[in-house]
PDB file of all heavy atoms in Angstrom:
ATOM      1  N   PRO W   1       0.826  -1.204  -0.003  1.00 94.00           N
ATOM      2  CA  PRO W   1      -0.008   0.004  -0.008  1.00 94.00           C
ATOM      3  C   PRO W   1       0.856   1.265  -0.008  1.00 94.00           C
ATOM      4  O   PRO W   1       1.980   1.274   0.491  1.00 94.00           O
ATOM      5  CB  PRO W   1      -0.802  -0.121   1.306  1.00 94.00           C
ATOM      6  CG  PRO W   1      -0.014  -1.025   2.176  1.00 94.00           C
ATOM      7  CD  PRO W   1       0.710  -1.969   1.274  1.00 94.00           C
ATOM      8  N   ASP W   2       0.276   2.344  -0.546  1.00 93.00           N
ATOM      9  CA  ASP W   2       0.959   3.624  -0.569  1.00 93.00           C
ATOM     10  C   ASP W   2       0.727   4.422   0.720  1.00 93.00           C
ATOM     11  O   ASP W   2       1.507   5.292   1.083  1.00 93.00           O
ATOM     12  CB  ASP W   2       0.483   4.478  -1.749  1.00 93.00           C
ATOM     13  CG  ASP W   2       0.756   3.815  -3.087  1.00 93.00           C
ATOM     14  OD1 ASP W   2       1.806   3.159  -3.213  1.00 93.00           O
ATOM     15  OD2 ASP W   2      -0.098   3.941  -3.995  1.00 93.00           O
ATOM     16  N   ASP W   3      -0.373   4.118   1.392  1.00 93.00           N
ATOM     17  CA  ASP W   3      -0.717   4.832   2.627  1.00 93.00           C
ATOM     18  C   ASP W   3      -1.639   3.953   3.440  1.00 93.00           C
ATOM     19  O   ASP W   3      -2.292   3.055   2.916  1.00 93.00           O
ATOM     20  CB  ASP W   3      -1.388   6.173   2.299  1.00 93.00           C
ATOM     21  CG  ASP W   3      -1.341   7.137   3.485  1.00 93.00           C
ATOM     22  OD1 ASP W   3      -0.739   6.792   4.531  1.00 93.00           O
ATOM     23  OD2 ASP W   3      -1.898   8.250   3.361  1.00 93.00           O
ATOM     24  N   GLY W   4      -1.663   4.217   4.745  1.00 94.00           N
ATOM     25  CA  GLY W   4      -2.596   3.502   5.600  1.00 94.00           C
ATOM     26  C   GLY W   4      -1.968   2.391   6.413  1.00 94.00           C
ATOM     27  O   GLY W   4      -0.761   2.111   6.319  1.00 94.00           O
ATOM     28  N   LEU W   5      -2.805   1.734   7.197  1.00 95.00           N
ATOM     29  CA  LEU W   5      -2.399   0.675   8.116  1.00 95.00           C
ATOM     30  C   LEU W   5      -3.242  -0.542   7.880  1.00 95.00           C
ATOM     31  O   LEU W   5      -4.462  -0.459   7.783  1.00 95.00           O
ATOM     32  CB  LEU W   5      -2.556   1.163   9.570  1.00 95.00           C
ATOM     33  CG  LEU W   5      -2.234   0.143  10.692  1.00 95.00           C
ATOM     34  CD1 LEU W   5      -0.747  -0.139  10.735  1.00 95.00           C
ATOM     35  CD2 LEU W   5      -2.724   0.696  12.025  1.00 95.00           C
ATOM     36  N   VAL W   6      -2.589  -1.717   7.795  1.00 95.00           N
ATOM     37  CA  VAL W   6      -3.273  -2.994   7.654  1.00 95.00           C
ATOM     38  C   VAL W   6      -2.842  -3.906   8.789  1.00 95.00           C
ATOM     39  O   VAL W   6      -1.628  -4.105   8.989  1.00 95.00           O
ATOM     40  CB  VAL W   6      -2.983  -3.649   6.307  1.00 95.00           C
ATOM     41  CG1 VAL W   6      -3.779  -4.965   6.165  1.00 95.00           C
ATOM     42  CG2 VAL W   6      -3.303  -2.710   5.136  1.00 95.00           C
ATOM     43  N   THR W   7      -3.801  -4.442   9.526  1.00 95.00           N
ATOM     44  CA  THR W   7      -3.471  -5.382  10.576  1.00 95.00           C
ATOM     45  C   THR W   7      -4.216  -6.692  10.358  1.00 95.00           C
ATOM     46  O   THR W   7      -5.315  -6.708   9.809  1.00 95.00           O
ATOM     47  CB  THR W   7      -3.803  -4.851  11.986  1.00 95.00           C
ATOM     48  OG1 THR W   7      -5.208  -4.628  12.084  1.00 95.00           O
ATOM     49  CG2 THR W   7      -3.075  -3.553  12.276  1.00 95.00           C
ATOM     50  N   VAL W   8      -3.593  -7.789  10.783  1.00 95.00           N
ATOM     51  CA  VAL W   8      -4.197  -9.127  10.725  1.00 95.00           C
ATOM     52  C   VAL W   8      -4.029  -9.774  12.095  1.00 95.00           C
ATOM     53  O   VAL W   8      -2.903  -9.863  12.599  1.00 95.00           O
ATOM     54  CB  VAL W   8      -3.543  -9.996   9.644  1.00 95.00           C
ATOM     55  CG1 VAL W   8      -4.119 -11.420   9.681  1.00 95.00           C
ATOM     56  CG2 VAL W   8      -3.715  -9.416   8.260  1.00 95.00           C
ATOM     57  N   GLY W   9      -5.137 -10.138  12.715  1.00 93.00           N
ATOM     58  CA  GLY W   9      -5.072 -10.718  14.045  1.00 93.00           C
ATOM     59  C   GLY W   9      -4.452  -9.789  15.062  1.00 93.00           C
ATOM     60  O   GLY W   9      -3.803 -10.252  16.011  1.00 93.00           O
ATOM     61  N   GLY W  10      -4.672  -8.493  14.882  1.00 92.00           N
ATOM     62  CA  GLY W  10      -4.155  -7.516  15.833  1.00 92.00           C
ATOM     63  C   GLY W  10      -2.684  -7.146  15.635  1.00 92.00           C
ATOM     64  O   GLY W  10      -2.158  -6.308  16.365  1.00 92.00           O
ATOM     65  N   GLU W  11      -2.035  -7.768  14.655  1.00 92.00           N
ATOM     66  CA  GLU W  11      -0.639  -7.470  14.390  1.00 92.00           C
ATOM     67  C   GLU W  11      -0.489  -6.720  13.082  1.00 92.00           C
ATOM     68  O   GLU W  11      -1.222  -6.974  12.107  1.00 92.00           O
ATOM     69  CB  GLU W  11       0.194  -8.756  14.343  1.00 92.00           C
ATOM     70  CG  GLU W  11       0.236  -9.515  15.655  1.00 92.00           C
ATOM     71  CD  GLU W  11       1.225 -10.663  15.574  1.00 92.00           C
ATOM     72  OE1 GLU W  11       2.435 -10.430  15.759  1.00 92.00           O
ATOM     73  OE2 GLU W  11       0.789 -11.816  15.331  1.00 92.00           O
ATOM     74  N   THR W  12       0.457  -5.790  13.044  1.00 92.00           N
ATOM     75  CA  THR W  12       0.659  -4.981  11.865  1.00 92.00           C
ATOM     76  C   THR W  12       1.186  -5.794  10.697  1.00 92.00           C
ATOM     77  O   THR W  12       2.205  -6.494  10.824  1.00 92.00           O
ATOM     78  CB  THR W  12       1.647  -3.842  12.158  1.00 92.00           C
ATOM     79  OG1 THR W  12       1.094  -3.009  13.183  1.00 92.00           O
ATOM     80  CG2 THR W  12       1.892  -2.992  10.922  1.00 92.00           C
ATOM     81  N   LEU W  13       0.483  -5.724   9.574  1.00 93.00           N
ATOM     82  CA  LEU W  13       0.963  -6.335   8.345  1.00 93.00           C
ATOM     83  C   LEU W  13       1.680  -5.277   7.520  1.00 93.00           C
ATOM     84  O   LEU W  13       2.803  -5.491   7.062  1.00 93.00           O
ATOM     85  CB  LEU W  13      -0.218  -6.928   7.554  1.00 93.00           C
ATOM     86  CG  LEU W  13       0.142  -7.630   6.246  1.00 93.00           C
ATOM     87  CD1 LEU W  13       0.904  -8.938   6.503  1.00 93.00           C
ATOM     88  CD2 LEU W  13      -1.110  -7.935   5.421  1.00 93.00           C
ATOM     89  N   TRP W  14       1.019  -4.142   7.279  1.00 92.00           N
ATOM     90  CA  TRP W  14       1.625  -3.016   6.566  1.00 92.00           C
ATOM     91  C   TRP W  14       1.364  -1.740   7.370  1.00 92.00           C
ATOM     92  O   TRP W  14       0.242  -1.508   7.827  1.00 92.00           O
ATOM     93  CB  TRP W  14       0.979  -2.804   5.190  1.00 92.00           C
ATOM     94  CG  TRP W  14       1.219  -3.863   4.158  1.00 92.00           C
ATOM     95  CD1 TRP W  14       0.267  -4.633   3.567  1.00 92.00           C
ATOM     96  CD2 TRP W  14       2.436  -4.210   3.523  1.00 92.00           C
ATOM     97  NE1 TRP W  14       0.832  -5.463   2.628  1.00 92.00           N
ATOM     98  CE2 TRP W  14       2.164  -5.235   2.589  1.00 92.00           C
ATOM     99  CE3 TRP W  14       3.772  -3.788   3.663  1.00 92.00           C
ATOM    100  CZ2 TRP W  14       3.137  -5.802   1.791  1.00 92.00           C
ATOM    101  CZ3 TRP W  14       4.742  -4.354   2.896  1.00 92.00           C
ATOM    102  CH2 TRP W  14       4.436  -5.356   1.947  1.00 92.00           C
ATOM    103  N   ASP W  15       2.381  -0.916   7.498  1.00 92.00           N
ATOM    104  CA  ASP W  15       2.208   0.416   8.061  1.00 92.00           C
ATOM    105  C   ASP W  15       2.789   1.421   7.084  1.00 92.00           C
ATOM    106  O   ASP W  15       4.000   1.615   7.013  1.00 92.00           O
ATOM    107  CB  ASP W  15       2.908   0.521   9.423  1.00 92.00           C
ATOM    108  CG  ASP W  15       2.612   1.857  10.116  1.00 92.00           C
ATOM    109  OD1 ASP W  15       1.978   2.715   9.480  1.00 92.00           O
ATOM    110  OD2 ASP W  15       3.008   2.020  11.296  1.00 92.00           O
ATOM    111  N   ALA W  16       1.941   2.021   6.284  1.00 91.00           N
ATOM    112  CA  ALA W  16       2.386   2.988   5.273  1.00 91.00           C
ATOM    113  C   ALA W  16       1.818   4.387   5.572  1.00 91.00           C
ATOM    114  O   ALA W  16       1.673   5.208   4.694  1.00 91.00           O
ATOM    115  CB  ALA W  16       1.957   2.530   3.876  1.00 91.00           C
ATOM    116  N   ARG W  17       1.479   4.635   6.858  1.00 87.00           N
ATOM    117  CA  ARG W  17       0.913   5.920   7.215  1.00 87.00           C
ATOM    118  C   ARG W  17       1.929   7.057   6.996  1.00 87.00           C
ATOM    119  O   ARG W  17       3.134   6.873   7.125  1.00 87.00           O
ATOM    120  CB  ARG W  17       0.460   5.909   8.691  1.00 87.00           C
ATOM    121  CG  ARG W  17      -0.754   5.023   8.933  1.00 87.00           C
ATOM    122  CD  ARG W  17      -1.078   4.875  10.400  1.00 87.00           C
ATOM    123  NE  ARG W  17      -0.046   4.118  11.095  1.00 87.00           N
ATOM    124  CZ  ARG W  17      -0.130   3.761  12.380  1.00 87.00           C
ATOM    125  NH1 ARG W  17      -1.219   4.075  13.067  1.00 87.00           N
ATOM    126  NH2 ARG W  17       0.834   3.067  12.965  1.00 87.00           N
ATOM    127  N   HIS W  18       1.347   8.203   6.612  1.00 74.00           N
ATOM    128  CA  HIS W  18       2.134   9.414   6.432  1.00 74.00           C
ATOM    129  C   HIS W  18       3.203   9.243   5.347  1.00 74.00           C
ATOM    130  O   HIS W  18       4.285   9.821   5.410  1.00 74.00           O
ATOM    131  CB  HIS W  18       2.809   9.830   7.752  1.00 74.00           C
ATOM    132  CG  HIS W  18       1.885   9.768   8.905  1.00 74.00           C
ATOM    133  ND1 HIS W  18       0.710  10.480   8.980  1.00 74.00           N
ATOM    134  CD2 HIS W  18       1.960   9.047  10.071  1.00 74.00           C
ATOM    135  CE1 HIS W  18       0.092  10.212  10.138  1.00 74.00           C
ATOM    136  NE2 HIS W  18       0.811   9.329  10.800  1.00 74.00           N
ATOM    137  N   GLY W  19       2.850   8.415   4.328  1.00 68.00           N
ATOM    138  CA  GLY W  19       3.772   8.252   3.204  1.00 68.00           C
ATOM    139  C   GLY W  19       4.978   7.397   3.521  1.00 68.00           C
ATOM    140  O   GLY W  19       5.888   7.303   2.692  1.00 68.00           O
ATOM    141  N   LYS W  20       4.996   6.786   4.696  1.00 74.00           N
ATOM    142  CA  LYS W  20       6.109   5.924   5.058  1.00 74.00           C
ATOM    143  C   LYS W  20       6.127   4.700   4.175  1.00 74.00           C
ATOM    144  O   LYS W  20       5.113   4.018   4.001  1.00 74.00           O
ATOM    145  CB  LYS W  20       5.934   5.529   6.529  1.00 74.00           C
ATOM    146  CG  LYS W  20       6.933   4.513   7.064  1.00 74.00           C
ATOM    147  CD  LYS W  20       6.568   4.176   8.510  1.00 74.00           C
ATOM    148  CE  LYS W  20       7.443   3.060   9.044  1.00 74.00           C
ATOM    149  NZ  LYS W  20       7.011   2.639  10.433  1.00 74.00           N
ATOM    150  N   LYS W  21       7.262   4.385   3.564  1.00 74.00           N
ATOM    151  CA  LYS W  21       7.387   3.242   2.653  1.00 74.00           C
ATOM    152  C   LYS W  21       7.637   1.970   3.474  1.00 74.00           C
ATOM    153  O   LYS W  21       8.709   1.781   4.046  1.00 74.00           O
ATOM    154  CB  LYS W  21       8.522   3.467   1.659  1.00 74.00           C
ATOM    155  CG  LYS W  21       8.675   2.382   0.606  1.00 74.00           C
ATOM    156  CD  LYS W  21       7.509   2.373  -0.364  1.00 74.00           C
ATOM    157  CE  LYS W  21       7.766   1.376  -1.517  1.00 74.00           C
ATOM    158  NZ  LYS W  21       6.594   1.295  -2.404  1.00 74.00           N
ATOM    159  N   PRO W  22       6.664   1.067   3.534  1.00 73.00           N
ATOM    160  CA  PRO W  22       6.863  -0.153   4.320  1.00 73.00           C
ATOM    161  C   PRO W  22       7.846  -1.118   3.634  1.00 73.00           C
ATOM    162  O   PRO W  22       7.961  -1.133   2.411  1.00 73.00           O
ATOM    163  CB  PRO W  22       5.475  -0.778   4.404  1.00 73.00           C
ATOM    164  CG  PRO W  22       4.767  -0.249   3.204  1.00 73.00           C
ATOM    165  CD  PRO W  22       5.349   1.095   2.899  1.00 73.00           C
ATOM    166  N   LYS W  23       8.516  -1.883   4.448  1.00 76.00           N
ATOM    167  CA  LYS W  23       9.479  -2.875   3.936  1.00 76.00           C
ATOM    168  C   LYS W  23       9.091  -4.276   4.360  1.00 76.00           C
ATOM    169  O   LYS W  23       8.421  -4.450   5.390  1.00 76.00           O
ATOM    170  CB  LYS W  23      10.885  -2.547   4.445  1.00 76.00           C
ATOM    171  CG  LYS W  23      11.436  -1.185   3.994  1.00 76.00           C
ATOM    172  CD  LYS W  23      12.810  -0.943   4.586  1.00 76.00           C
ATOM    173  CE  LYS W  23      13.360   0.420   4.156  1.00 76.00           C
ATOM    174  NZ  LYS W  23      14.699   0.685   4.751  1.00 76.00           N
ATOM    175  N   GLU W  24       9.499  -5.240   3.575  1.00 73.00           N
ATOM    176  CA  GLU W  24       9.251  -6.613   3.962  1.00 73.00           C
ATOM    177  C   GLU W  24      10.218  -7.010   5.066  1.00 73.00           C
ATOM    178  O   GLU W  24      11.441  -6.821   4.958  1.00 73.00           O
ATOM    179  CB  GLU W  24       9.400  -7.537   2.754  1.00 73.00           C
ATOM    180  CG  GLU W  24       9.120  -8.999   3.145  1.00 73.00           C
ATOM    181  CD  GLU W  24       8.813  -9.879   1.951  1.00 73.00           C
ATOM    182  OE1 GLU W  24       8.301  -9.370   0.939  1.00 73.00           O
ATOM    183  OE2 GLU W  24       9.117 -11.091   2.051  1.00 73.00           O
ATOM    184  N   THR W  25       9.682  -7.543   6.136  1.00 78.00           N
ATOM    185  CA  THR W  25      10.463  -7.937   7.285  1.00 78.00           C
ATOM    186  C   THR W  25      10.088  -9.376   7.699  1.00 78.00           C
ATOM    187  O   THR W  25       9.089  -9.926   7.224  1.00 78.00           O
ATOM    188  CB  THR W  25      10.224  -7.011   8.480  1.00 78.00           C
ATOM    189  OG1 THR W  25       8.827  -7.113   8.853  1.00 78.00           O
ATOM    190  CG2 THR W  25      10.556  -5.543   8.121  1.00 78.00           C
ATOM    191  N   LYS W  26      10.879  -9.902   8.634  1.00 81.00           N
ATOM    192  CA  LYS W  26      10.539 -11.236   9.153  1.00 81.00           C
ATOM    193  C   LYS W  26       9.189 -11.205   9.844  1.00 81.00           C
ATOM    194  O   LYS W  26       8.391 -12.145   9.738  1.00 81.00           O
ATOM    195  CB  LYS W  26      11.627 -11.680  10.128  1.00 81.00           C
ATOM    196  CG  LYS W  26      11.415 -13.102  10.684  1.00 81.00           C
ATOM    197  CD  LYS W  26      12.549 -13.521  11.587  1.00 81.00           C
ATOM    198  CE  LYS W  26      12.321 -14.924  12.130  1.00 81.00           C
ATOM    199  NZ  LYS W  26      13.425 -15.350  13.043  1.00 81.00           N
ATOM    200  N   HIS W  27       8.900 -10.110  10.568  1.00 83.00           N
ATOM    201  CA  HIS W  27       7.606  -9.965  11.239  1.00 83.00           C
ATOM    202  C   HIS W  27       6.475  -9.980  10.228  1.00 83.00           C
ATOM    203  O   HIS W  27       5.442 -10.633  10.424  1.00 83.00           O
ATOM    204  CB  HIS W  27       7.579  -8.664  12.041  1.00 83.00           C
ATOM    205  CG  HIS W  27       6.216  -8.352  12.611  1.00 83.00           C
ATOM    206  ND1 HIS W  27       5.734  -8.984  13.734  1.00 83.00           N
ATOM    207  CD2 HIS W  27       5.239  -7.503  12.207  1.00 83.00           C
ATOM    208  CE1 HIS W  27       4.516  -8.533  14.004  1.00 83.00           C
ATOM    209  NE2 HIS W  27       4.194  -7.627  13.098  1.00 83.00           N
ATOM    210  N   LEU W  28       6.660  -9.244   9.110  1.00 84.00           N
ATOM    211  CA  LEU W  28       5.633  -9.200   8.070  1.00 84.00           C
ATOM    212  C   LEU W  28       5.364 -10.608   7.542  1.00 84.00           C
ATOM    213  O   LEU W  28       4.217 -11.008   7.340  1.00 84.00           O
ATOM    214  CB  LEU W  28       6.071  -8.270   6.950  1.00 84.00           C
ATOM    215  CG  LEU W  28       5.123  -8.094   5.761  1.00 84.00           C
ATOM    216  CD1 LEU W  28       5.207  -6.655   5.223  1.00 84.00           C
ATOM    217  CD2 LEU W  28       5.424  -9.063   4.643  1.00 84.00           C
ATOM    218  N   ARG W  29       6.425 -11.374   7.310  1.00 83.00           N
ATOM    219  CA  ARG W  29       6.246 -12.730   6.789  1.00 83.00           C
ATOM    220  C   ARG W  29       5.527 -13.622   7.793  1.00 83.00           C
ATOM    221  O   ARG W  29       4.756 -14.508   7.421  1.00 83.00           O
ATOM    222  CB  ARG W  29       7.604 -13.313   6.376  1.00 83.00           C
ATOM    223  CG  ARG W  29       8.213 -12.665   5.160  1.00 83.00           C
ATOM    224  CD  ARG W  29       9.414 -13.430   4.637  1.00 83.00           C
ATOM    225  NE  ARG W  29      10.545 -13.405   5.573  1.00 83.00           N
ATOM    226  CZ  ARG W  29      11.460 -12.444   5.607  1.00 83.00           C
ATOM    227  NH1 ARG W  29      11.386 -11.414   4.779  1.00 83.00           N
ATOM    228  NH2 ARG W  29      12.469 -12.496   6.472  1.00 83.00           N
ATOM    229  N   THR W  30       5.776 -13.378   9.085  1.00 86.00           N
ATOM    230  CA  THR W  30       5.100 -14.146  10.126  1.00 86.00           C
ATOM    231  C   THR W  30       3.615 -13.857  10.142  1.00 86.00           C
ATOM    232  O   THR W  30       2.770 -14.757  10.192  1.00 86.00           O
ATOM    233  CB  THR W  30       5.700 -13.824  11.511  1.00 86.00           C
ATOM    234  OG1 THR W  30       7.096 -14.182  11.504  1.00 86.00           O
ATOM    235  CG2 THR W  30       4.989 -14.617  12.620  1.00 86.00           C
ATOM    236  N   VAL W  31       3.256 -12.564  10.080  1.00 89.00           N
ATOM    237  CA  VAL W  31       1.832 -12.177  10.043  1.00 89.00           C
ATOM    238  C   VAL W  31       1.190 -12.693   8.774  1.00 89.00           C
ATOM    239  O   VAL W  31       0.060 -13.169   8.790  1.00 89.00           O
ATOM    240  CB  VAL W  31       1.696 -10.639  10.169  1.00 89.00           C
ATOM    241  CG1 VAL W  31       0.215 -10.237  10.111  1.00 89.00           C
ATOM    242  CG2 VAL W  31       2.327 -10.134  11.464  1.00 89.00           C
ATOM    243  N   ARG W  32       1.903 -12.570   7.647  1.00 88.00           N
ATOM    244  CA  ARG W  32       1.429 -13.065   6.351  1.00 88.00           C
ATOM    245  C   ARG W  32       1.084 -14.551   6.417  1.00 88.00           C
ATOM    246  O   ARG W  32       0.179 -15.033   5.733  1.00 88.00           O
ATOM    247  CB  ARG W  32       2.466 -12.753   5.289  1.00 88.00           C
ATOM    248  CG  ARG W  32       2.519 -13.619   4.073  1.00 88.00           C
ATOM    249  CD  ARG W  32       1.346 -13.379   3.128  1.00 88.00           C
ATOM    250  NE  ARG W  32       1.407 -14.319   2.045  1.00 88.00           N
ATOM    251  CZ  ARG W  32       1.010 -15.583   2.085  1.00 88.00           C
ATOM    252  NH1 ARG W  32       0.507 -16.068   3.189  1.00 88.00           N
ATOM    253  NH2 ARG W  32       1.110 -16.357   1.043  1.00 88.00           N
ATOM    254  N   GLY W  33       1.788 -15.295   7.284  1.00 89.00           N
ATOM    255  CA  GLY W  33       1.546 -16.743   7.422  1.00 89.00           C
ATOM    256  C   GLY W  33       0.162 -17.056   7.953  1.00 89.00           C
ATOM    257  O   GLY W  33      -0.281 -18.221   7.856  1.00 89.00           O
TER     258      GLY W  33
END
């Protein structure tokens, strides 16, 4: 996403608020699972 916040099960999947460019991390892959 270009902007906004996405959570799954209460955990952050993407945090692109305020134009912040999110990056793929180990945490993201865990939530994605």
Side-chain angles (χ1 to χ4, degrees):
D2 299 324
D3 199 3
L5 177 69
V6 182
T7 62
V8 176
E11 295 189 82
T12 299
L13 182 69
W14 293 117
D15 186 354
R17 290 173 292 186
H18 315 301
K20 175 183 174 184
K21 184 69 174 176
K23 298 179 181 178
E24 181 161 332
T25 62
K26 183 177 180 181
H27 172 78
L28 181 147
R29 291 191 293 273
T30 299
V31 178
R32 154 72 184 80

